[in-house]
Amino acid sequence: MIEFHQVFKRYEGGHEALKGVSFELPAGEMAFLTGHSGAGKSTLLKLIALMERPTRGQVILDGQNISKVKDRHIPYHRRKIGMIFQDHRLLFDRTVFDNVALPLIIAGVSDREIPKRVRAALDKVGLLSKEKQLPIQLSGGEQQRVGIARAVVNKPPLLLADEPTGNLDPELSADIMNLFAEFNQVGVSVLIASHDLALIARMRHPVITLKEGRTIRNELAEAAFDE
Amino acid sequence: MSKSNRQNTSYKISFLDRFKMAISLHKKNAANTLLDVLRHPTNSLLTILVLAIALALPTAFYVFSSNAKAISSNWSGGVQMALFLKENVSQEQRAEFIQELSFRPEFKEVVLIPKEQAIEDFKQQSGFGDALDYLDENPLPDSIILTPYENHSGAAMLEKLAQELEQNPVVDLAQLDMAWIQRYQAILEISQKVGTFVSILLAFGVLLIVGNTIRLAILNRRDEIQVIKLVGATDAFIRRPFLYTGFWYGLIAALLAALMVNIVLLLLQQPSSTLAELYNSGFSLMGLAPSQTLTLLAIGASLGLFGAWFSVSKHLKDIQPT
């Protein structure tokens, strides 16, 4: 699903966020990306979503070298990816329903279809009863689940999450992670950046560890090697 | 991608559905932005008023100058040329010359005013009646009044004609009383050029005002734009509501401008017809014709649209998700 080949990212100003990262996430796999803050986790995810472009190296998504995606095709590229953020990035002047419907409206799904799909997504994250509420009326965990519903409503083959449990207490965090695992079980590839090591350890999925922009441990490669 | 993944790929959307959705998106965008403008009148009213005034000024000027042109075109239709004949011209020469003139294609009417009639007219009109009786002989010459056809009543053409006729041995003087019309037309021409220049400046002003309003709207919704870009919105999708907003601003401002101009015209109707009566003229003030109103609306709407377009294409690029 995702391949990184010797990827470097140097920001303007000289900061080198990634210094030759390589890994491969097979389709249908779920993996964690960990490391201290500043290790390059967020940069790595941004490269996949084309929020940044690599300075050097190749990023391949679903068999396609994404450095070849032109700027005006970036929106279509992003529709293949469901993204979840630590700060949820919801629209606070719109209802839960409207927030989740957003990717469908953007993709041009018909008015008849939208309510069905939005409710299906909200049902999966357990928020069907709150569709008419505004995000501000929800708890942090609920807001994050709205973010997840929005990310999955278009049924993208890949989910990327950047510290999705960063602001949540341990119990809610585990719920959120289990939700990701459920999506993974129906075939969605999932890559989650998190520094919640205890929680990651309990999830029993491969972990990629970054330190100062380099891969210092890649359980995905070890798993492949074991086979 | 593995087989288990297939069921999970994005929904497929047919072309027809896409088309239908695009139409319905346009409708929704148009309606929502209009409602937005109307629902927050305090935000938009001031902008729309400024735009309306900027559109009303050139419109009023246009109406004014087309009225002024209408007045002067009535006048130039009435231009006449007077030929004063030399004193020693015989009756035969005079008759021959008149015949010659009536064969020319330029003149609608050739009227001889013999000097006997001229002095009679002068006596009656000037009020010097009795005083003139003391003159030994009639000091006035024979004259011929020429009325040119409309297509020959251009100032330059008549001037040339007068010069030509003056060469004729029987003609003493060809007089063309149109200097004041020329002055009037020259002033009109200058004021029209100034008007065009000011209108272009004001149109530019409308573009800038709409552009700036849209710029503020974009900055206000910066976070929202970032989020929509993240979930895969194209620039066209993000641009559309702003373009509609600009369009509505321009259209509503143009409607208001048409209203303002019509109110002013209504107020001027009475005094102008009084003035026209005083001058014995059948002139009546022309208002905005429906086609001109439509043109105004079209200009307003497109200025709004373009102002928004410039602003959006300049500022939307700067907003990228981080």
Side-chain angles (χ1 to χ4, degrees):
Chain A
M1 190 73 216
I2 308 171
E3 292 171 50
F4 270 58
H5 296 294
Q6 284 299 310
V7 173
F8 290 77
K9 175 62 189 179
R10 179 201 290 268
Y11 284 104
E12 272 173 51
H15 173 64
E16 272 204 316
L18 296 179
K19 302 167 186 167
V21 170
S22 302
F23 73 92
E24 184 185 344
L25 179 78
E29 184 65 86
M30 171 161 163
F32 287 101
L33 190 62
T34 190
H36 295 294
S37 48
K41 305 189 293 287
S42 293
T43 301
L44 194 153
L45 295 182
K46 281 179 185 173
L47 289 176
I48 300 171
L50 281 176
M51 290 157 74
E52 298 286 350
R53 299 267 192 184
T55 318
R56 212 144 40 93
Q58 285 187 331
V59 179
I60 299 191
L61 182 82
D62 210 2
Q64 188 197 10
N65 183 349
I66 65 170
S67 62
K68 297 223 168 75
V69 175
K70 291 183 182 125
D71 279 356
R72 65 194 160 88
H73 289 136
I74 289 178
Y76 305 100
H77 172 81
R78 290 195 182 134
R79 291 180 197 176
K80 293 189 272 184
I81 304 167
M83 272 184 286
I84 293 111
F85 306 91
Q86 181 171 5
D87 55 1
H88 323 316
R89 306 256 177 122
L90 303 177
L91 300 180
F92 284 91
D93 58 346
R94 303 195 198 178
T95 62
V96 166
F97 181 97
D98 288 344
N99 267 283
V100 176
L102 200 56
L104 298 176
I105 294 170
I106 286 169
V109 176
S110 76
D111 285 349
R112 271 174 296 117
E113 281 289 305
I114 287 176
K116 278 189 255 171
R117 298 194 193 177
V118 169
R119 293 200 177 104
L122 282 174
D123 192 29
K124 271 183 212 153
V125 300
L127 286 178
L128 196 50
S129 60
K130 310 222 164 169
E131 65 170 44
K132 291 204 177 75
Q133 300 199 11
L134 290 172
I136 206 81
Q137 297 167 295
L138 305 180
S139 70
E142 286 170 331
Q143 285 186 20
Q144 189 56 287
R145 282 190 278 161
V146 175
I148 294 172
R150 186 182 66 188
V152 300
V153 72
N154 223 358
K155 297 207 166 181
L158 172 66
L159 285 182
L160 298 179
D162 192 3
E163 302 285 358
T165 61
N167 296 326
L168 303 178
D169 62 48
E171 201 178 327
L172 282 173
S173 298
D175 284 350
I176 296 284
M177 288 302 183
N178 286 329
L179 203 50
F180 283 121
E182 280 173 36
F183 287 115
N184 176 242
Q185 271 159 22
V186 294
V188 183
S189 312
V190 183
L191 183 62
I192 302 169
S194 172
H195 58 248
D196 191 343
L197 293 173
L199 181 59
I200 289 171
R202 271 190 284 142
M203 295 300 296
R204 298 179 180 281
H205 283 282
V207 178
I208 303 166
T209 309
L210 292 179
K211 188 179 182 186
E212 290 168 0
R214 291 193 175 84
T215 334
I216 56 169
R217 181 151 191 221
N218 180 357
E219 291 179 3
L220 280 164
E222 289 164 20
F225 197 69
D226 287 347
E227 284 170 21
Chain B
M1 206 179 290
S2 71
K3 272 220 172 108
S4 64
N5 249 328
R6 284 285 169 220
Q7 58 171 10
N8 232 318
T9 48
S10 313
Y11 288 112
K12 289 277 173 283
I13 301 159
S14 77
F15 177 76
L16 186 67
D17 263 1
R18 256 178 220 284
F19 184 70
K20 276 191 204 152
M21 273 311 287
I23 300 281
S24 107
L25 258 182
H26 267 282
K27 273 195 214 153
K28 268 187 225 158
N29 272 317
N32 286 341
T33 49
L34 179 61
L35 285 176
D36 218 41
V37 170
L38 298 178
R39 237 185 250 143
H40 305 288
T42 41
N43 287 348
S44 26
L45 191 67
L46 218 59
T47 310
I48 289 178
L49 268 178
V50 172
L51 292 174
I53 290 168
L55 288 171
L57 285 175
T59 310
F61 184 84
Y62 174 79
V63 171
F64 166 78
S65 78
S66 40
N67 274 300
K69 240 193 279 178
I71 293 173
S72 76
S73 76
N74 283 342
W75 287 334
S76 62
V79 167
Q80 288 179 328
M81 196 191 304
L83 300 178
F84 299 101
L85 303 186
K86 285 182 180 152
E87 236 175 292
N88 51 7
V89 174
S90 71
Q91 297 258 348
E92 292 79 38
Q93 278 175 309
R94 203 175 68 183
E96 205 178 313
F97 183 54
I98 289 173
Q99 188 136 40
E100 190 189 316
L101 286 174
S102 28
F103 284 140
R104 295 189 65 125
E106 292 97 336
F107 303 116
K108 193 159 59 178
E109 219 178 10
V110 181
V111 179
L112 169 73
I113 300 176
K115 53 184 164 189
E116 298 78 22
Q117 192 196 329
I119 193 94
E120 279 308 311
D121 288 351
F122 187 60
K123 267 185 197 168
Q124 280 175 13
Q125 286 174 14
S126 64
F128 289 125
D130 293 341
L132 289 171
D133 286 339
Y134 290 98
L135 290 172
D136 291 341
E137 56 183 272
N138 182 355
L140 298 178
D142 290 336
S143 57
I144 299 170
I145 306 296
L146 300 169
T147 310
Y149 282 107
E150 254 100 72
N151 53 349
H152 284 96
S153 55
M157 251 189 252
L158 287 178
E159 203 98 45
K160 233 177 112 188
L161 206 56
Q163 274 172 17
E164 185 202 321
L165 291 173
E166 227 165 35
Q167 302 300 311
N168 194 298
V170 301
V171 177
D172 186 30
L173 182 72
Q175 204 175 55
L176 202 54
D177 192 17
M178 63 184 315
W180 62 280
I181 292 184
Q182 283 172 315
R183 269 180 229 135
Y184 180 85
Q185 278 172 344
I187 291 171
L188 210 61
E189 204 169 312
I190 291 174
S191 67
Q192 245 166 359
K193 290 226 164 94
V194 171
T196 309
F197 180 68
V198 171
S199 302
I200 290 171
L201 279 185
L202 284 169
F204 200 63
V206 169
L207 280 180
L208 290 180
I209 295 164
V210 174
N212 194 48
T213 309
I214 297 297
R215 182 182 70 92
L216 291 176
I218 290 172
L219 294 182
N220 263 337
R221 299 173 68 179
R222 193 187 178 87
D223 294 343
E224 186 180 337
I225 292 171
Q226 287 188 339
V227 170
I228 325 190
K229 279 197 173 181
L230 276 177
V231 294
T234 56
D235 282 351
F237 181 90
I238 302 168
R239 202 186 291 135
R240 212 174 293 132
F242 293 112
L243 295 185
Y244 270 109
T245 306
F247 173 84
W248 290 124
Y249 271 129
L251 189 67
I252 295 171
L255 270 171
L256 222 58
L259 196 70
M260 287 178 188
V261 171
N262 277 318
I263 287 173
V264 170
L265 283 170
L266 216 61
L267 293 175
L268 287 178
Q269 200 77 57
Q270 186 54 42
S272 81
S273 63
T274 311
L275 188 66
E277 261 168 49
L278 287 176
Y279 275 91
N280 256 335
S281 151
F283 171 78
S284 79
L285 200 60
M286 293 184 295
L288 272 178
S291 68
Q292 289 166 334
T293 309
L294 281 182
T295 309
L296 172 63
L297 296 186
I299 289 175
S302 26
L303 283 176
L305 190 62
F306 281 121
W309 183 280
F310 289 138
S311 187
V312 165
S313 43
K314 190 167 178 297
H315 298 290
L316 221 51
K317 266 198 203 96
D318 300 339
I319 301 178
Q320 293 296 343
T322 50

